[in-house]
Amino acid sequence: MDRIAAMILLLGAFVSMTLFLLALFSVAPIFCSCLCALLYILYYFLANEGTTIHHAQEFENRFWTVFFVLLTMAGIYVKDSPFSVYFESRHSGWGFFVMFIVGYGVHTWDRMVHRKHLTSHVGGLRRGASAAQSLLHLNAHIANAVVSPHAGAKAHLTLEEQLQRISTCMDNIDQLLVPSTINNFINQQFIMRNEREIISIFEDAQPKTLNWLISHVKLALVFYKIKDHRNFRGQHRTELIELLAVDRVSSLTIYSRVLLLRALQLMKLPANARAEHWVRNIILSTHQDDLSKLKTMTDTKGDYFCMNKLIYSDVRSDTVRQDILSHFRKEAAVQQAHMDMGTRKARLRMEQGWRKILSDVDDTLTSSGGSYPAGIDKRYSKKVVYPGVIGLYRELDLGIRGPEEFPSDEVGNLVFLSARPHLYKDFSEKHNFSKFEKLRERQGSRLHTIPSLLAGDLSSGREFMMTNDFEPLAKKKFQNFKQFVSIYPEYRHVFICDNGQGDVRAGELMYDQYPRHLEFLFVHLVQDIQKTYGFEPERWRRKGLLKRTCFFKCYPDAALYAATIKPPLIRISGLRRVCQDAAADFEMILPSQWSSSSQKRDRRSELNQSLWRCNQFLESKGEEIIPLIESPRQWEDGERVRTIYGIGVIKGFDPIADLYDVEIDWRPLDEQIRDFEKQEATKKDTEKRGILSLSSNQAALQTVVEEDESNYLSPATSFSKHSSKQSFIGNDRDTSSTLPRTSSGNELSFGASGFDRRHGVGSPEPTLDETTASDETSPVNKKGGDGDTAVPPSITTKEVGAKRKLSFGQGIVVAKIQGKHVTKFTPPTLPKLQSDEKEKNRSKTFSFWATDSVKSAVDNVEASKSKQLLLSPGERVTTPYGVGVVVEHRKKTNIIVVDMTGPWTARAYLKESIVKREGAGLIGTLLRSFTGVAATSPKRGDSSPRSKAERNHPFAAGAKVVSPFGEGKVIRPLSLQIPSSSALSSCASKEKVDTIAVSLTEWTLRDGSHPTLYCTMNTAKEWKNKTEGKDTHSHRRESSLFSVIGSMVSGTVASLQKIRVPKEIEAPTIKVEALFERYYKDGAAVATAYGDGVVKEFRASDGFYCVSLLLKSGKVFATAYLQEDSMSYRLARGCQEGYPVLTKYGLSGVLQSVNPTTGVHNVIIPSCGAMCYLQPDQVVRQLKAAVGEDVSTKFGDGKVMKYRLSDDKYEIKLTWGGATLYAEAKTFDRIDDRMEYKGGFRMGWILNFFYSREENKEDGAPRSRSNSFSMLSQSNVSTRSLR
């Protein structure tokens, strides 16, 4: 399905939906309005995953419950609803009962789905050695361990008992049919005791036991079900995750840390205020190669919870994201330093490839079958895995060092960049991951690892569908690559793509910005290379990208290139494995996946060509070659068949080249018919008598004397002459020759092995002595090259040991013919010709014109056929190999010499049949017919030879010429006389003069003479046309149909060109592109290795920042020039985002966020509902709670009224009795209200009804920007630079 069909289907679906809604509106307008409103709410919910309602699973569960309750309410209680009639006839209680059942059912169903998602198996991870110890060994270690006297009885439990205890507590907390909110309200103390017991088990576990428990317990479900309660010391979720992610993170293995990050992602980071800082602490506590392994294992879990999603989607704080990315860059620099110094770690690192393989999916991993918008490749059917692609992934990941086979305990480095847009949650990613899982489990060659996936977005996909522009797809893939490189700066990257859409343009963007990270680019050709979007060979050659790019059609060719470049990307043994996998992949394609036998035959031939080239290289290196793919035999020996050269008998078969040895009967047709009828009559006669004649099947066909055998010879054949004996010669003496590929794609290999002649042939025999072309379809004869150059068919007469011309006689020949040209045998018949009377009647019956008109039409057709294509030198033409310019038209040989101007520069010698004038076609013909009037029709009264000569040579002696160097006159014109043949012969030795001499009269030398300017006739004409205000092309269109429009446009352009812009306001023409992207803004507060500072300016040419270093007093003591990696944003000492702080102005608030590009701290003041924008030195310290926040104490809940800095005491007003409590920070807990939902597309009143507190109802309207203020330091920092 192409783009037009897809647009028609989309338009039809839209029209159908619109008509359905209009019909529904006409019948039930109120119900339809409610339904449309609910559908809009659902669309907004699904399309905006960044809104607050998606921050916690509890919020989503309440949304679905409320949504379906409202939908049920609209169906029951709306007057014109089709369901209201049924409920109106019954008691009103039935409607409330149905609403309750629907709400409770949706609530329970959503909880069950989410529970299944939390407990899903992690597919791609492999446990490390410390986490996968046997139970006996760990239990023995627990029994022999020295237990603290303060530890409880749980310290002596075995691993099975501890795991069983955690499962029992989870069953008590998580009731299947009772919501967690109701269960916590009814059995709060019981729930809290079970949560505390789970925490104590993790707290008392030994390091090895802790890692074993994390790898076997359903950690994500534990984090989700353990809640933060409002009671004092009841924030159990925070306490548990703080224990694992901060207190005991050093005891965790890499595998346990990956599971911990995954559990936090499944819980959703916005569900807890400190989740992002826990992620930051886990990553920052991992270093060097362990950090690389942590990131890679996070990406190979088999779901869309990858490291890219964690850093760029789940983490909302820019400061946390910047800290993590800065840590990645620093650790990558340390790893590179080890490699440069050749340390022991470097020798261990060299055993791995340290290469990320990025690949497209459609038309790169699997064929799209030409299905829009997935791709355009129709060579294979849809969803067919390309032969050899999986092996190439594996070998590129292995590299040239280390083990020969990919280790089973290692994770791979395969990542797919897909243009398919990301939809709600992992709706679109599930399809790809299920495909990857099938490729992991299939027989034969399989994926060596579970890959990661970076999907596109709806905006780029929508723009591509509407405008058919590949640029948005390319930019989205480049954006994904840019984020991926920031996560993996220590790796090199190889991008494998196709040239069907915007992947090649994306590869160019990758190289432009990250030339050191993009190691190589492999492009799978699914269309002609000149049609590739964004590919310009000259531009790529100047950049140096062309040296790092490989264009290929079959993956063994890509592997061959990767093994032969310097330095190689894969090993020679890896090349052999790729070839083996390619042959196995081809055999695994099901018969139902081939649209026709010819498709399979063509792909087999194409792949065999690639394997043959690889075998040539393997044989030169002393490696064992790979057997080529054999073609199944369809015709047995002795079976009669029909070929494109006539009827024949099968004599042999070559399964590699798919060539049949066919004994072809080239006798006259009437003779063949008589012989066939005689055989049929003999067969019927023997059947009647019951005698089986064995000799009839092997009877040799007789030959007759033929006057002219050239009528029966195909021009696309090749022969070898040998003895004139009557018996056929075996294949061991055959001299097979071949045919090149023609423009229609036919590939033949044909040879003669003998003739059956009769003596006394009196007719003269023609001789043929042309040369033979090599067969590109036969791997054994292929020597390299594309095989796309069209070579005229030829006939050979060469034979080993006999160099004499071939004389054709009467007989039968043996030819080698490809299987696609051999069909089922059909008896020979004479052509049926209608009589003249029938032809007249037929023409009268079906003719709608008069006889004269028909005759004239036939004459016109015949005239058009006889008319030859006349092309002049310099004319642009189109060919199957691209566009070009005509150099010479050889009419005798019907050959046109063309200089190619497409992706490559070459000179081609092509037939007239495949060369077309540029702009040929209906529209081009009409335009040429309109615009060519002036050029073809002469003016009236201007037909004399002299006037024609003057028009062709307007620059006679004394003619005025205005050149760019000044005005002058012609002093040496070109000769107007046409020399005769004798004159030409006499002047052949003289030098030809093709320039004119112009004396510049505006210039005068010291001797009084004028300088002489030499130019060609065409240059002089261009100067004349420019002086007269017209160009050569517009001059030809003076009398055309579009002369009025052309005059208007040219006049407007000429008038605009005369407008002069003053020099003082004229814009510069040279555009300087920034080589480095700026991150920190002017005035940003940063921290460096030399102390705190402020950014003053940025140099885009080298990426250096000018930073003023500050003393503690705030004075500048030095100026440093640093790069981005040497700096970080400055955070107030001892403060963290999301926690209360004390400001310099005596106000306490919550540090909401920090802008890393400016260093500005955004502090919310709860007491007055204002927002402060402060510098780091204006934030004094971190507090336990800010004034106006809710806290939980031993005596109940309360609110902080005041903070005393002198003695570090908080004044808390309790909610009961109005009592006042003066407490220290360790005696109360802060209640974080950020989990509360306060927004969301005008449905906050619904969610607040289900999740609200009395304190919030007293606050009134939400705070606006009008009651916020900004406090800035008195330093030289402007407000504009900070915001």
Side-chain angles (χ1 to χ4, degrees), residues 10 377 390 466 489 491 546 656 804 840 946 986 1064 1190:
L10 187 62
D377 191 11
I390 296 178
M466 294 296 104
Y491 282 84
L546 207 57
I656 299 298
R804 55 196 179 94
K840 292 180 180 180
R946 178 177 179 81
S986 60
E1064 57 271 10
D1190 295 333

Side-chain angles (χ1 to χ4, degrees), residues 619-659:
E619 190 175 7
S620 65
K621 297 298 181 180
E623 296 286 338
E624 185 180 357
I625 63 174
I626 305 299
L628 302 183
I629 304 173
E630 295 185 358
S631 174
R633 183 165 186 172
Q634 297 180 351
W635 316 101
E636 299 297 332
D637 290 347
E639 189 174 359
R640 301 187 69 181
V641 294
R642 177 174 289 276
T643 69
I644 59 176
Y645 305 107
I647 298 174
V649 179
I650 300 295
K651 292 298 182 179
F653 177 66
D654 182 4
I656 299 298
D658 191 21
L659 293 176

Side-chain angles (χ1 to χ4, degrees), residues 936-973:
T936 57
S937 59
K939 297 181 181 179
R940 291 184 178 180
D942 192 20
S943 58
S944 61
R946 178 177 179 81
S947 60
K948 293 181 180 179
E950 290 178 355
R951 286 200 307 271
N952 295 330
H953 303 275
F955 300 99
K960 180 180 177 182
V961 177
V962 180
S963 69
F965 311 99
E967 184 177 347
K969 61 180 180 179
V970 178
I971 58 176
R972 192 194 68 184

